[in-house]
Amino acid sequence: MTEKELLKLQYENKCLQKGYKLIAGCDEVGRGPLAGPVVCCAVIMPLNEEDIIEGIDDSKKVSEKKRERLAGEILAKAIAVKVCRVEPKEIDEINILEATKKCMADCVNGLVVKPDVLLCDALDIKTQVPCYPIIKGDALSYTIGCASIVAKVYRDNLMVEYAKQYPDYGFEKHKGYGTAQHIKAIKEKGPCELHRRSFIKNFWAE
């Protein structure tokens, strides 16, 4: 195991030293896009040295091809994993921060194996177990990084599928983020069911 990978286990090791055994990591993907759901993942990974997967990092720092491979390895090794999403309509109703918190809590509470403790990227999530929010946790914690990668791959693949249903917007390219091409398409075609109305009100009025 490299020094970098050992460093990514620092928070997990602190939890183990406190007596926690089943450590869940949780992260979200898709808080910023103009369209599509926010997606969260909670995962409990084995932390024996022989089970550590090399190359885990913030999903945004990993190439698409490598993310796909790592996600497969994570899902194969995970003790438990849960992916949840909150749809655009609900995001508009309760706001993106509350939607993200709800999505994360649903993931943690939906794990088939109950964790002893939760490491969460940035947010303090109210669940039945102690939660330790870590700023930039997806880059600093192995377990949160695993959750980040699974959530990213799930959401990206989802947006590629949505692109077939709504071909006017180029979802397969930008995954719902506010690129110039995407904003131009909204202005010309109007929004579809996937668009977050509260996110596009600066340039689109119903």
Side-chain angles (χ1 to χ4, degrees), residues 121-122 134-141:
D121 186 34
I134 302 168
I135 303 298
K136 299 189 183 300
D138 48 6
L140 298 175
S141 159

Side-chain angles (χ1 to χ4, degrees), residues 5 14 18 41 46 64 111 125 137 153 179 202:
E5 284 160 343
K14 287 177 182 177
K18 290 181 179 180
C41 175
E64 182 178 356
L111 288 167
I125 304 304
V153 170
T179 63
N202 288 339

Side-chain angles (χ1 to χ4, degrees), residues 10-11 15 26 33 54 62 102 105 108 122 148 158 169-170 181 201:
Q10 60 180 312
Y11 294 101
C15 289
C26 188
E54 294 184 9
V62 181
K102 177 182 184 292
V108 178
S148 171
L158 184 66
Y169 302 97
Q181 173 205 1
K201 60 186 179 183

Side-chain angles (χ1 to χ4, degrees), residues 30-102:
R31 285 180 72 175
L34 306 180
V38 61
V39 171
C40 299
C41 175
V43 62
I44 302 173
M45 298 299 294
L47 297 173
N48 303 314
E49 186 173 346
E50 63 271 17
D51 290 319
I52 299 299
I53 300 168
E54 294 184 9
I56 298 298
D57 204 342
D58 172 0
S59 61
K60 298 183 290 296
K61 298 179 180 178
V62 181
S63 70
E64 182 178 356
K65 185 177 180 180
K66 186 176 180 181
R67 276 198 308 265
E68 291 277 357
R69 176 179 62 78
L70 288 173
E73 291 185 42
I74 293 163
L75 293 173
K77 286 196 171 188
I79 296 168
V81 61
K82 180 70 175 178
V83 175
C84 295
R85 53 201 252 201
V86 173
E87 303 299 339
K89 185 177 179 182
E90 188 169 3
I91 291 171
D92 287 334
E93 289 171 355
I94 65 175
N95 78 51
I96 186 60
L97 177 58
E98 293 306 315
T100 302
K101 289 180 177 180
K102 177 182 184 292

Side-chain angles (χ1 to χ4, degrees), residues 33 35 152 155-156 159-160 170-177:
K152 174 71 172 166
R155 190 181 187 282
D156 281 0
M159 295 307 291
V160 169
F171 290 138
E172 75 282 2
K173 298 176 183 176
H174 51 66
K175 310 303 188 291
Y177 284 87

